[in-house]
Amino acid sequence: MVHALRRAGQRLRPGGRLISIRPHETQLPLVSVITPSRRIPVARLTTPGFDDRQSAADAALERVVAEGRFALNGIRNHRYRSLLDNPSQLRTYLELINPPRPRFPPGRRAQLLDLWRSSPRGSKIEIAEWIVLTALRRR
Amino acid sequence: MRLLAGTIYASIRSMPAALDISAYPPDGMEVRLIERFTTLKGRRILEVGCGDGRLTFQYAPTAREVLAFDPDRASIEDALDEQAALGVSNVDFRVGSIEHLPARGAPFDIALFSWSL
């Protein structure tokens, strides 16, 4: 990752920006059931096997700043939410989500399905995800 | 580096049909975030890990020129199909990784690593 950032830096003009957009390292996706009257959080999805990669990305960005190639221009966190009509759509969503192959904590998937079956008509399943944007300026 | 710093803004979207499902942010959100730091208008942009051009096609209309590459050939083929359908002429999609990019050449204004670092 450091090599990729260095190479990008070689091709950026001085003052140019390097922008990284990636999933937030610690704010894990949150699955909730939304009924007409309330939001019921059910589980934060875990991403086993991906945490090391996330940490490596952060470390690589810090490294090129420490090397003096870039200056930190800013960081922004952002949350976005997706509303799904049913558990079938949730299965599709989880195949597409990034980081890949998230897991429900033990028992939480069953809890979600139980909750869904008892939810009133018009309820939705909500996935809230967080991304982080890091902007570096080429020195 | 304070990775938890910054302001949180929320976007929300509804997904009416399974075929429309995307786990990426809604169109336009990432471009708005980028433009909090730098304008994309008239810029020469290098996009690393462009996939099928999902984000590329959102900002390409305002950019001057884009070099976008991804190691996945199938994704680049999808991007090229979409490029032809949209008539976008200022994007050069290539199969490869940044290691294949020559160290010397015309400089870029912005290097974008979108979900690829």
Side-chain angles (χ1 to χ4, degrees):
Chain A
M1 291 180 184
V2 172
H3 180 74
L5 295 174
R6 287 174 181 155
R7 176 57 57 90
Q10 287 174 328
R11 292 297 302 269
L12 274 176
R13 66 168 172 77
R17 298 296 198 280
L18 187 149
I19 306 285
S20 163
I21 302 174
R22 60 199 187 284
H24 201 285
E25 185 178 12
T26 56
Q27 292 281 3
L28 301 174
L30 175 63
V31 181
S32 304
V33 171
I34 309 294
T35 73
S37 59
R38 57 192 289 229
R39 168 183 284 111
I40 307 166
V42 177
R44 284 199 182 274
L45 301 176
T46 60
T47 52
F50 199 78
D51 294 348
D52 289 348
R53 182 169 174 160
Q54 290 281 78
S55 299
D58 289 338
L61 289 164
E62 291 181 7
R63 176 87 176 267
V64 294
V65 171
E67 289 174 344
R69 297 168 188 267
F70 292 94
L72 179 62
N73 188 204
I75 298 172
R76 287 285 183 277
N77 297 323
H78 191 94
R79 181 185 67 191
Y80 62 98
R81 295 180 287 170
S82 303
L83 292 177
L84 307 175
D85 290 337
N86 52 55
S88 176
Q89 288 190 354
L90 178 63
R91 279 192 291 276
T92 303
Y93 190 94
L94 295 181
E95 290 171 6
L96 299 171
I97 199 170
N98 195 332
R101 294 178 291 283
R103 297 280 187 271
F104 278 87
R108 294 301 176 88
R109 184 188 292 269
Q111 181 186 348
L112 172 69
L113 294 176
D114 286 345
L115 192 57
W116 178 256
R117 279 191 284 269
S118 63
S119 296
R121 191 181 187 88
S123 296
K124 301 276 188 180
I125 297 171
E126 180 193 82
I127 317 273
E129 294 189 66
W130 283 259
I131 58 173
V132 56
L133 182 150
T134 303
L136 306 182
R137 181 174 49 80
R138 168 89 156 79
R139 289 186 185 276
Chain B
M1 197 178 290
R2 296 184 304 126
L3 293 177
L4 297 179
T7 307
I8 293 178
Y9 304 89
S11 298
I12 193 165
R13 63 184 163 172
S14 184
M15 296 180 172
L19 291 176
D20 293 336
I21 291 175
S22 164
Y24 286 101
D27 282 1
M29 193 196 91
E30 291 150 291
V31 170
R32 288 194 297 275
L33 282 174
I34 293 168
E35 290 194 324
R36 288 178 175 274
F37 294 102
T38 182
T39 182
L40 295 164
K41 187 176 181 181
R43 299 305 178 104
R44 187 163 192 265
I45 298 171
L46 169 68
E47 185 177 347
V48 181
C50 63
D52 63 3
R54 176 193 65 86
L55 180 60
T56 319
F57 293 119
Q58 293 178 41
Y59 67 77
T62 62
R64 175 163 56 91
E65 185 180 0
V66 181
L67 172 59
F69 55 86
D70 195 283
D72 184 60
R73 181 174 296 279
S75 293
I76 291 296
E77 288 173 355
D78 287 345
L80 291 170
D81 288 345
E82 185 73 2
Q83 182 178 27
L86 294 174
V88 175
S89 60
N90 62 338
V91 182
D92 181 6
F93 285 107
R94 296 184 192 173
V95 178
S97 65
I98 193 166
E99 286 77 13
H100 298 118
L101 184 71
R104 296 175 185 276
F108 293 93
D109 301 302
I110 297 167
L112 179 58
F113 290 75
S114 175
W115 304 77
S116 61
L117 191 59

